[in-house]
Amino acid sequence: AADLGPCRTRVALAVLGAKLRQEGGISDPKAAKRLARNLSVLNCLVSLVQRGPQHRGGKCLPSAVADLVGLSAESPLAAHWHMEYYEEMLGRRKVRALNGRRALCGMIIWALHLTPGLALEFNAAVERDLRLNPGQLKKGLEYVGCLVIEDKAPAGLDGPLAEAGTRLKAKLEGPPKINRAHYDRQAMGERKNKRART
């Protein structure tokens, strides 16, 4: 396993790499602290994607989500993620089941939010670290509205993100794919309303 240092995950390292390539170093201590907090949240979301399906069979209470991602049992953030990324189960009031695709998309959106230009670059090791099936990361990126380009990374590079093989370059280009028809209908309705008013 590669030493990822304080980033802890390859996803966080990819975000940090994108920020450094675009903005250079961070000299302001407040900005550095804010970035460290944001990367900590990202690492929690990575843990949710990586280990969520196996943790208690993917079905749990908010306190178990907190335990999974390393937060206190009373954490409001863990409770929020329990409501956001876990679905209700028939006949169970408090226990919810993980929606893996929703958690993956939430992690991707947070990672993109942290990058300048809403663009990221991942190698094949990121998908393996997230314990995803081949192609699942690309589908998740496309699902949230990214244009994804695959290219081959050359061998012989050095570092935790340097690995020969397929590299995904993603840039947010539009709305999530599932809502495309909804957005189109909404835009069409607005155009009809404007015509009716004039």
Side-chain angles (χ1 to χ4, degrees):
D3 178 22
L4 302 174
C7 285
R8 290 187 16 229
T9 66
R10 281 186 164 85
V11 176
L13 193 60
V15 167
L16 185 60
K19 283 189 80 63
L20 292 175
R21 278 191 296 278
Q22 291 289 320
E23 300 172 353
I26 300 169
S27 58
D28 177 32
K30 287 183 181 180
K33 193 171 190 174
R34 186 172 40 254
L35 177 61
R37 282 188 184 133
N38 287 336
L39 290 177
S40 293
V41 170
L42 179 60
N43 285 331
C44 288
L45 288 168
V46 168
S47 293
L48 194 62
V49 171
Q50 278 177 337
R51 300 189 331 254
Q54 292 80 32
H55 187 72
R56 300 188 182 183
K59 300 168 183 80
C60 60
L61 296 166
S63 58
V65 174
D67 180 51
L68 170 67
V69 299
L71 298 173
S72 69
E74 307 83 35
S75 169
L77 185 56
H80 170 74
W81 286 341
H82 185 255
M83 293 300 293
E84 188 69 29
Y85 302 125
Y86 288 74
E87 296 177 338
E88 290 182 10
M89 294 174 56
L90 189 62
R92 310 285 298 269
R93 282 184 5 150
K94 294 182 181 180
V95 175
R96 297 170 71 93
L98 178 69
N99 180 328
R101 184 170 72 175
R102 190 179 296 160
L104 174 63
C105 290
M107 183 210 71
I108 290 170
I109 290 167
W110 184 250
L112 286 167
H113 165 74
L114 298 178
T115 60
L118 302 173
L120 275 169
E121 194 173 308
F122 295 120
N123 66 15
V126 172
E127 194 165 46
R128 285 193 308 273
D129 282 358
L130 291 172
R131 300 178 186 158
L132 299 174
N133 294 325
Q136 202 172 350
L137 180 58
K138 181 181 178 187
K139 283 181 186 175
L141 288 161
E142 290 172 340
Y143 187 80
V144 301
C146 287
L147 172 66
V148 181
I149 299 170
E150 287 186 63
D151 69 353
K152 297 288 182 190
L157 299 174
D158 193 26
L161 288 178
E163 178 180 298
T166 304
R167 184 175 299 275
L168 299 176
K169 294 181 179 180
K171 179 164 178 51
L172 188 63
E173 294 288 330
K177 298 293 186 221
I178 192 158
N179 290 330
R180 177 74 55 149
H182 171 75
Y183 294 129
D184 290 344
R185 281 193 310 271
Q186 206 173 29
M188 184 66 83
E190 288 174 8
R191 279 186 248 145
K192 285 181 182 178
N193 288 340
K194 283 183 182 177
R195 285 186 206 143
R197 285 186 234 147
T198 56

